Amino acid sequence: LIATLVLTAAAWTAPFELFAGDGLTLLETAGLVLFGPLFIGISCWFCSALAGFLLMLFRPHSFLRLEHLTTPARMPRVAMLAPIRNEDVAAVAARLAMMDASLARTGHSVAFDFFLLSDTNDEQIAAREHAEVSRLAAQSSSAFFYRRRSDNAGRKAGNINDWVRNYGGAYDHMIVLDADSVMSGELLVGLASAMEARPDLGVLQTIPIGVGGETLFARHLQFGIRLYGRVATAGIAWWTGHESLYWGHNAIVRVDAFAATAAVPRLAGAPPFGGDILSHDVVEGWFMRRGGWNVAMAPMLEGTYEECPPTLVDEAVRDRRWCQGNLQHLALLRTKGLHWLARVQILMAAMVYAAGPLWFCFLATGVALRVQQGFPEAGEPWFGGSAEQIFELHWSIVLTVIMLFGPKVMGMVLILLDPTERRGFGGVGALSAGFAAEFVMSALLAPVRMLIACRAVIEVVIAGAGPAGVA
């Protein structure tokens, strides 16, 4: 956090000295005010990734790995929960069958029960769900159960809580899945072993890797996650410690701890800021930490996968939901008993989406400043000032670019240093080509994502300011 503030101050000084030389105009003040929070976000992202890079380079064994875990003499009872609503049930069942087969190879199937928890409101889909679970129950090594709620109060959070109240007492831990989640049997056994070895742990969150992408957009996301995802998450896991994030899927949760501490409140008022909290998972993690249970991330555990959005539109739909959920979290800032780091995470999560409108306003302010000053003659700098001030401004821009794209370079360096990883990416040539393609696509998509974030925030704020929101 200190490094983030130091870098922000260093980058902010250059435009301040340039603009303040002859006094600050209203537009210059607006630009400086917008620049501060934007650069805090960039600096924090970079510093977190740098910490992860250094740890993975010099202390790779400091992270939990499967080979570090010893299977306990008595395997705990673990429930595999797959909450669904109007999903492609054949695809979901195929993924569950893969996990069951992988568990069978470990010899620990008897310790794991699978639950398909349906909130489906389409009778035809529900009939297919029941048929698929009946088939799985007859053919699988683990036990399979199907439960369909008559009403989906509380959405996914309500679905999980309903299972905990009615069935959770029979299990030590639950592993929560998304409809597109896949986890290896070795990892599932390892997670149960880790929870038994660490009775202080309430949640152990794995970092899923993207798989199964068939579109160019999905492949671009998968490559980026594999390239630098672990660098970023290793840094987050380090600096958050036992106050890490729970993402609600591909994670193991201690059932009695969840039941005692993780009830998510229904916010006062109407949606979008009131009502059910859409991004409830991270709130459950904060509440479990408030109850004295540790919440940790394990970025180096292998065998955890999910699918990426196939198109930019699918990503935008998902992010619209996450945007509303993250903005809802602001109402929890004054909640008693939350760790101070949880409050920092609330602000950071909201900033992820607020950054879109802030970047747009910042760019618009820059254009307005240029128009106000008049366009320069050939060979003249775009902004007035001494040569030293212009150099400092350029240095600030270079620093920004380094911080934005540095984590990608760090990820590539780690892969190049590991012969196994390097071969997995197809060698130096294929890795370099993929890196260049991902770099270009990220740069091209950045302004589009900025506008998508602007729209999401504006829609949420307008909805909240309307009659429903006021009520």
Side-chain angles (χ1 to χ4, degrees):
L1 293 176
I2 292 171
T4 294
L5 295 176
V6 168
L7 286 174
T8 300
W12 192 81
T13 300
F16 174 79
E17 290 182 348
L18 178 63
F19 292 154
D22 54 354
L24 290 172
T25 67
L26 185 60
L27 278 176
E28 289 171 338
T29 302
L32 291 171
V33 169
L34 290 167
F35 184 80
L38 285 171
F39 210 87
I40 286 178
I42 296 172
S43 299
C44 187
W45 156 251
F46 176 80
C47 292
S48 183
L50 181 60
F53 172 74
L54 294 174
L55 285 167
M56 292 178 69
L57 189 62
F58 298 110
R59 293 179 55 195
H61 296 294
S62 63
F63 295 106
L64 182 66
R65 296 174 184 267
L66 287 178
E67 55 266 30
H68 298 163
L69 299 171
T70 303
T71 304
R74 170 202 166 270
M75 277 294 292
R77 297 279 292 152
V78 181
M80 305 288 297
L81 307 186
I84 59 171
R85 176 177 168 82
N86 300 331
E87 305 284 351
D88 179 354
V89 65
V92 174
R95 297 183 188 102
L96 297 180
M98 288 173 59
M99 287 185 271
D100 169 72
S102 184
L103 269 172
R105 290 190 289 272
T106 70
H108 293 288
S109 296
V110 69
F112 292 81
D113 291 349
F114 286 79
F115 287 81
L116 197 69
L117 306 178
S118 174
D119 267 352
T120 293
N121 59 2
D122 184 304
E123 293 298 331
Q124 291 184 337
I125 296 177
R128 291 198 293 272
E129 291 171 353
H130 190 274
E132 287 287 356
V133 176
S134 297
R135 180 183 62 80
L136 288 170
Q139 298 176 358
S140 301
S141 300
S142 297
F144 273 80
F145 301 95
Y146 176 71
R147 192 273 283 126
R148 182 185 176 206
R149 291 199 299 169
S150 57
D151 125 48
N152 70 328
R155 308 189 188 209
K156 180 182 174 181
N159 199 353
I160 297 294
N161 285 324
D162 178 85
W163 179 88
V164 170
R165 283 192 301 270
N166 291 288
Y167 309 99
Y171 297 89
D172 299 290
H173 313 298
M174 59 183 181
I175 293 178
V176 185
L177 306 167
D178 264 358
D180 59 1
S181 296
V182 176
M183 303 176 77
S184 71
E186 292 79 11
L187 175 61
L188 296 174
V189 172
L191 289 174
S193 303
M195 295 297 279
E196 290 301 289
R198 289 280 306 278
D200 60 303
L201 273 182
V203 177
L204 184 57
Q205 174 70 62
T206 70
I207 313 301
I209 295 295
V211 293
E214 298 179 354
T215 64
L216 176 63
F217 183 79
R219 300 288 290 181
H220 149 72
L221 293 178
Q222 285 180 193
F223 184 86
I225 292 170
R226 286 178 178 269
L227 180 70
Y228 62 86
R230 281 186 301 180
V231 174
T233 52
I236 294 172
W238 170 70
W239 68 262
T240 55
H242 291 150
E243 286 79 35
S244 282
L245 299 173
Y246 168 49
W247 295 336
H249 62 93
N250 294 49
I252 188 167
V253 182
R254 196 175 300 274
V255 174
D256 59 351
F258 184 92
T261 63
V264 175
R266 181 178 172 85
L267 297 179
F273 295 114
D276 295 329
I277 300 177
L278 298 190
S279 299
H280 58 87
D281 324 286
V282 68
V283 179
E284 291 163 349
W286 291 331
F287 285 4
M288 290 183 72
R289 186 68 187 103
R290 181 178 64 172
W293 296 95
N294 290 330
V295 178
M297 294 173 65
M300 302 304 290
L301 288 181
E302 299 179 352
T304 173
Y305 310 98
E306 65 178 348
E307 293 183 3
C308 296
T311 68
L312 183 61
V313 173
D314 291 293
E315 183 185 68
V317 171
R318 182 194 66 180
D319 280 4
R320 169 61 176 79
R321 184 176 69 253
W322 288 357
C323 173
Q324 181 177 342
N326 285 2
L327 294 180
Q328 284 179 313
H329 293 167
L330 294 172
L332 302 174
L333 279 172
R334 292 183 293 177
T335 301
K336 293 182 179 178
L338 285 187
H339 193 276
W340 69 268
L341 200 52
R343 303 181 202 278
V344 171
Q345 291 163 352
I346 289 173
L347 294 173
M348 289 174 65
M351 184 60 189
V352 168
Y353 292 94
L358 288 176
W359 270 115
F360 184 84
C361 293
F362 179 70
L363 294 173
T365 301
V367 172
L369 272 171
R370 183 64 269 166
V371 171
Q372 185 184 70
Q373 294 174 2
F375 290 95
E377 300 292 335
E380 290 183 357
W382 273 79
F383 291 96
S386 67
E388 182 180 354
Q389 289 172 329
I390 297 298
F391 173 79
E392 289 181 354
L393 184 62
H394 289 172
W395 175 85
S396 179
I397 294 170
V398 170
L399 182 61
T400 304
V401 172
I402 290 173
M403 290 191 176
L404 282 172
F405 295 102
K408 299 177 188 287
V409 176
M410 296 175 202
M412 186 171 181
V413 169
L414 288 174
I415 293 167
L416 289 173
L417 292 175
D418 187 326
T420 303
E421 290 263 21
R422 193 167 63 243
R423 285 193 299 271
F425 275 83
V428 176
L431 176 61
S432 300
F435 178 85
E438 199 279 338
F439 186 95
V440 171
M441 282 197 68
S442 296
L444 292 174
L445 288 170
V448 180
R449 285 181 166 131
M450 176 189 71
L451 294 175
I452 289 173
C454 287
R455 175 175 175 172
V457 172
I458 290 170
E459 285 179 350
V460 171
V461 171
I462 289 177
V470 172

